[in-house]
Amino acid sequence: QVQLVESGGGLVQAGGSRRVSCAASGRTFSSCVMGWFRHAPGNEREFVAGITPRGDMTYYIDSVKGRFTISRDNAKNTVYLQMNSLKPEDTAVYYCAARFTFALSYIPKEKDKYQDWGQGTQVTVSS
């Protein structure tokens, strides 16, 4: 099991940037595919971005492509989500999630494919 703690959320103006981080401890972080999800009121929790264990492949949903960047530092057991050109519709609680895997090029988008979750960090984008 991996313990995950997100940080970096807050209030940001539309068009601004924010980086949220997720620190991991426990089972080998470098063997986990990592995902960022978000949950806005009235919506389902949705997949935003994912990164393979070695960090050599990433995946983004269309609405954040070109604005968000997921990255990881396996030496620091941390995954990041850099969010630029933020929009009010990006307002949500952002969660990181981990899935232990031997598949080096698999990035699941379904939340039930991830075993471990953080507590979330709120990002609010004001217009």
Side-chain angles (χ1 to χ4, degrees), residues 75-95:
K76 296 182 178 180
N77 282 7
T78 303
V79 63
Y80 306 95
L81 186 67
Q82 175 68 43
M83 302 180 287
N84 299 328
S85 302
L86 281 161
K87 305 174 181 180
E89 52 264 43
D90 295 318
T91 294
V93 178
Y94 283 75
Y95 298 89

Side-chain angles (χ1 to χ4, degrees), residues 7-10 12 17-22 36 69 71 76 78-84 86 121 123:
S7 61
V12 60
S17 298
R18 198 81 180 183
R19 188 178 79 162
V20 290
S21 303
C22 173
W36 280 100
T69 302
S71 62
K76 296 182 178 180
T78 303
V79 63
Y80 306 95
L81 186 67
Q82 175 68 43
M83 302 180 287
N84 299 328
L86 281 161
T121 187
V123 175

